[in-house]
Amino acid sequence: MKVVRKKLAELHRSERNVRIHSDKQLAEFRRSIEMFGQIRPIVIDEGGTILAGNGLYEALHIMERTEADCYVAAGLSESQKKKLMLADNRIFSLGVDDLQGFDEIIAGLDDLDVPGYDEDLLKTLTADLNDADEMLAGYGIIGDEAKAGMKKAEDRYAQKSEEFTQGAEEVNPAPAPPVEAAVEERTAELDRRYIICPKCGEKIWL
């Protein structure tokens, strides 16, 4: 495979891109480029249309780079170009992580600054039992700044409540009648019975 150096100004995106690149992904692309350089070429056709590597192109553009390593996939039909774009995105996502191998590689690193990964998450994955106990012991502890904010909100709520109740008139509701008194005397006709609702005082015909 022959890799050539191209100016970013000579490259252009395809009319449709299969994958949407988030700000987070572009930031991790940038971290990777800053740490390792451009480790894979951008795949383009003869006219400079990007077939694979749009995220890499975006990151290089954000970093104000002027050139990029490219591989020119020549002689492809329009249908083949579209298939290449689909395959490049899909095949990569079909892989499955080997967790044992992952753990072994992480354990051998001198630090956990790895593009694409959250450093705190990697720390939890590689922590031994003692470190894990220490992290769990601190879980849920509220810092002094958070405590001060909670106290301030509590005081503000108490003040608003006091302002709202000033000038209000206290009302003592009448006690509800006992349940025994709710049943009225039967009338002569058995189908003419009612009770008094102990809460609202309305007649409820039975």
Side-chain angles (χ1 to χ4, degrees):
M1 180 175 70
K2 184 178 179 181
V3 175
V4 296
R5 197 76 175 163
K6 290 278 189 179
K7 293 185 180 298
L8 287 184
E10 298 176 356
L11 309 182
H12 48 273
R13 305 174 188 86
S14 174
E15 293 182 0
R16 286 189 178 276
N17 186 20
V18 178
R19 189 172 297 277
I20 297 174
H21 301 284
S22 66
D23 292 340
K24 173 65 175 175
Q25 185 187 31
L26 293 176
E28 294 305 306
F29 259 128
R30 180 171 180 170
R31 285 183 62 203
S32 178
I33 295 169
E34 290 172 343
M35 189 176 294
F36 310 115
Q38 184 185 343
I39 59 175
R40 59 170 55 92
I42 299 173
V43 181
I44 60 175
D45 66 8
E46 299 95 328
T49 298
I50 300 172
L51 305 178
N54 284 280
L56 176 57
Y57 168 82
E58 291 286 350
L60 290 169
H61 183 73
I62 292 171
M63 297 171 71
E64 298 183 349
R65 299 289 180 91
T66 59
E67 294 183 330
D69 292 333
C70 299
Y71 168 68
V72 181
L76 299 180
S77 67
E78 290 302 314
S79 178
Q80 288 174 321
K81 293 176 185 179
K82 293 176 182 178
K83 288 181 180 181
L84 189 155
M85 288 188 287
L86 291 171
D88 177 70
N89 286 283
R90 179 57 178 166
I91 292 175
F92 178 79
S93 65
L94 294 176
V96 179
D97 290 340
D98 179 353
L99 298 182
Q100 182 177 350
F102 176 85
D103 292 342
E104 291 174 356
I105 292 174
I106 293 297
L109 298 179
D110 52 3
D111 65 68
L112 297 177
D113 182 16
V114 183
Y117 290 93
D118 183 87
E119 188 170 352
D120 291 335
L121 175 61
L122 292 180
K123 286 180 180 178
T124 61
L125 294 176
T126 57
D128 58 26
L129 291 178
N130 291 332
D131 293 335
D133 289 342
E134 184 177 344
M135 285 188 288
L136 289 174
Y139 181 78
I141 295 178
I142 301 175
D144 293 337
E145 185 176 350
K147 288 180 182 178
M150 294 171 64
K151 182 64 169 62
K152 186 176 180 180
E154 181 183 0
D155 294 341
R156 185 167 59 249
Y157 178 80
Q159 181 182 356
K160 290 292 184 181
S161 179
E162 179 65 25
E163 293 174 356
F164 183 76
T165 55
Q166 287 179 357
E169 180 181 356
E170 182 178 0
V171 178
N172 294 318
V179 177
E180 292 81 2
V183 181
E184 290 289 323
E185 209 175 45
R186 291 189 178 187
T187 58
E189 299 179 7
L190 294 178
D191 59 343
R192 303 274 302 168
R193 297 176 300 166
Y194 66 88
I195 60 174
I196 302 297
C197 177
K199 291 187 177 180
C200 64
E202 293 290 331
K203 290 183 179 180
I204 301 176
W205 290 93
L206 304 177

